Amino acid sequence: DRAMAASSAVSKPHALVAAALVARRTGDMATAEQHCRDALDRARTQQDRPAIAEALLELAALQVPPDASIAGEALRLWEDLGNPIGAARASLLLATGAEGPERQRLLATAERQLYDAGAWVHLPEVRRLRSAAGHHGVAISTLGGFRVVRDGVTVEVGDWGSRKARDLLKLLVARRGAPVVRDEAAELLWPGEPDRSSRRLSVLLSTIRNVLDPGKSVGADHYVAADHDSMWLVREHVEVDVEQFLGEAAEGRRLLATDGSRGERLLNAAAARYLGDFCADDPYVDWAAGVRQLARHTFVDTAGLLATLADGRQDHAEAIRHRLRVLDVDPFDEPAHLGVVASLIAQRRHGEARRAYRAYCDRLAELDLDAAPFPPPEPGPRSPTAFVHEPATTRPPVNKRVRNLVRTPSEHGGGCSADGDEEGSHQDPFDARPARGLRARRSTAAHRRVCGTGRRPAR
């Protein structure tokens, strides 16, 4: 309410969409629909296309299943705007009401768009919809946070009734199917407390079983088994994302020697599963440290291998994305830092390469380590559209204003370019990729004025 009251006329549609989202989450569908329609009217009056797409997306989500025509209109608008995250969100809404191959196609498209854009916060929704389509049982997500999905429906925190019951299930997942002695579990759950009776542990075990199978459709030991001394998770009956991640990474590495394309697909699938640390909502518990370190090491190794494969086929942008994800996990990873710098140099993005190298030096300085030297540029042909200038033995004096405007070949890696024009002024001034359009024409004219040539530079 305060946001809507303080918003200006320009930002009012976005505030109304946010209010509609809050109303929908609280169950007030009538208010949510009214806010959506008000936002649509204002956005169309202002010709605010992003606000129109957001309002359409929220309006489609009010229906169960979501309105396919409204969601499709939002998808087309997001695609016209060139917003992959918005398009992926619209595809997820369409997938909710779709079935069969169309549903799988929409989910795969949305997952790839979100992964490429780095919007990993939305990837759990892809996993949930895929689980609802192909699995009717229990799935446990632990990477990036803890969540239990039962028959395609997420178990809310309030359904547990006990935080200790969730902690016990996390402990069983961290042991990866190995038995946990009851006394050890009690010590880990209630450290330092005198009352650690077996009865309290039995109550938690009963709570877990009721949450995983409220209808008592299977035996009590189907998901979590126990005897007099210990208890354990039955891995064959539960999908656990960290187990799938570790399995896909290991299988992908094995297949690279015999079936490279399939191995790389598995490695990409494994990297997409890694949304964060194991049990990231419990960062200080000792019992999660082992699996957390194993998953983190596996991800760094997998992403580094994918970056190397991308470099091998000259896909430097993909290699940079993988290495930046590694640096999110380990900001002191030296091969990832140097790989980013080398890939930027290969793309002739010299300014960004220098900035990335300075960030690398700063990180190593924190550890009192010496940085490797700046990588030399790889020799290779220049773009045919780049300007080629004949060397001049003398050059007329250039005043300071024009000097700041024009760079000579030796100062700009082979081309004059004007800064501050309408098109391309946002580019890196050290980017040696060829200028385009108006920028290129201005560079040509500036070169003739400064260098005193009466002809266009050779291309």
Side-chain angles (χ1 to χ4, degrees):
D1 293 337
R2 290 199 302 271
M4 286 198 297
S7 60
S8 64
V10 174
S11 60
K12 193 75 170 182
H14 298 278
L16 286 168
V17 171
L21 173 62
V22 173
R24 176 168 65 87
R25 293 289 178 86
T26 57
D28 190 354
M29 297 301 180
T31 302
E33 184 175 0
Q34 184 60 43
H35 285 325
C36 284
R37 298 199 180 278
D38 290 346
L40 269 176
D41 292 340
R42 289 175 177 269
R44 283 169 175 160
T45 300
Q46 299 171 6
Q47 297 184 358
D48 187 346
R49 298 176 71 198
I52 294 173
E54 285 285 358
L56 288 172
L57 208 58
E58 186 59 33
L59 187 61
L62 294 175
Q63 310 296 326
V64 181
D67 191 309
S69 60
I70 299 177
E73 184 179 354
L75 174 60
R76 289 188 293 273
L77 189 52
W78 282 126
E79 289 176 342
D80 290 343
L81 291 169
N83 188 320
I85 298 177
R89 290 166 54 211
S91 295
L92 289 178
L93 267 184
L94 288 169
T96 304
E99 295 180 357
E102 178 64 14
R103 180 188 181 97
Q104 297 303 321
R105 183 190 67 79
L106 289 168
L107 289 176
T109 300
E111 183 175 31
R112 188 61 188 173
Q113 287 175 324
L114 293 171
Y115 181 73
D116 288 345
W120 304 309
V121 68
H122 296 289
L123 286 174
E125 181 66 13
V126 179
R127 306 287 191 273
R128 186 189 69 80
L129 290 173
R130 185 166 286 151
S131 176
H135 177 75
H136 299 283
V138 174
I140 300 176
S141 299
T142 58
L143 296 174
F146 183 79
R147 189 176 70 253
V148 175
V149 177
R150 182 186 61 220
D151 293 332
V153 179
T154 301
V155 178
E156 301 295 338
V157 176
D159 296 338
W160 287 87
S162 169
R163 180 177 179 177
K164 291 297 183 183
R166 285 166 51 91
D167 291 343
L168 177 58
L169 183 56
K170 293 177 187 178
L171 173 61
L172 296 177
V173 172
R175 292 302 171 88
R176 306 185 65 188
V180 181
V181 179
R182 287 176 179 264
D183 291 341
E184 180 189 5
E187 173 64 28
L188 292 172
L189 293 174
W190 299 286
E193 293 187 19
D195 183 15
R196 298 200 299 264
S197 63
S198 179
R199 178 179 174 277
R200 295 179 70 182
L201 205 58
S202 298
V203 171
L204 297 184
L205 182 59
S206 178
T207 301
I208 292 175
R209 287 169 168 170
N210 287 333
V211 168
L212 300 183
D213 184 27
K216 303 294 188 294
S217 58
V218 293
D221 289 343
H222 185 75
Y223 297 119
V224 179
D227 55 24
H228 185 268
D229 297 321
S230 59
M231 59 187 70
W232 61 93
L233 182 73
V234 184
R235 288 174 51 182
E236 293 79 8
H237 300 155
V238 181
E239 284 188 2
V240 182
D241 62 344
V242 69
E243 300 294 344
Q244 294 173 325
F245 163 70
L246 295 172
E248 288 174 346
E251 182 67 10
R253 288 183 64 86
R254 187 188 66 81
L255 286 174
L256 280 180
T258 57
D259 190 349
S261 59
R262 185 183 171 197
E264 187 171 357
R265 284 198 301 271
L266 276 175
L267 290 174
N268 273 303
R273 284 189 186 278
Y274 191 85
L275 306 178
D277 280 341
F278 175 78
C279 287
D281 40 5
D282 292 298
Y284 304 113
V285 293
D286 294 335
W287 47 261
V291 180
R292 180 178 296 134
Q293 291 297 327
L294 175 61
R296 183 181 295 177
H297 169 76
T298 302
F299 170 72
V300 169
D301 184 61
T302 299
L305 184 54
L306 287 170
T308 302
L309 293 172
D311 278 335
R313 58 175 182 271
Q314 302 298 310
D315 189 353
H316 300 296
E318 183 72 9
I320 291 172
R321 278 194 288 269
H322 287 302
R323 291 189 173 111
L324 289 179
R325 288 198 68 190
V326 171
L327 293 176
D328 281 340
V329 175
D330 181 7
F332 298 95
D333 190 294
E334 187 171 13
H337 276 291
L338 294 175
V340 169
V341 174
S343 295
L344 289 171
I345 292 174
Q347 290 184 304
R348 308 195 63 75
R349 295 159 64 182
H350 301 303
E352 290 185 53
R354 284 290 179 182
R355 284 189 286 273
Y357 181 74
R358 284 196 294 270
Y360 154 68
C361 293
D362 292 342
R363 289 297 186 183
L364 261 66
E366 295 179 30
L367 303 177
D368 294 328
L369 296 174
D370 294 330
F374 188 79
E378 296 182 1
R382 292 184 181 274
S383 169
T385 59
F387 294 124
V388 179
H389 301 283
E390 296 178 359
T393 56
T394 61
R395 185 172 56 185
V398 183
N399 62 46
K400 184 176 181 180
R401 179 175 178 273
V402 177
R403 175 69 174 180
N404 291 335
L405 178 66
V406 181
R407 296 179 185 273
T408 62
S410 61
E411 296 165 334
H412 198 287
C416 296
S417 68
D419 295 334
D421 54 3
E422 293 86 343
E423 180 182 18
S425 60
H426 64 282
Q427 292 182 352
D428 190 330
F430 299 100
D431 194 330
R433 290 174 292 184
R436 303 288 183 185
L438 179 60
R439 184 182 176 91
R441 293 196 297 275
R442 289 188 175 184
S443 299
T444 305
H447 174 83
R448 290 204 301 269
R449 288 199 304 273
V450 175
C451 299
T453 60
R455 58 183 178 83
R456 182 182 299 274
R459 294 185 179 274

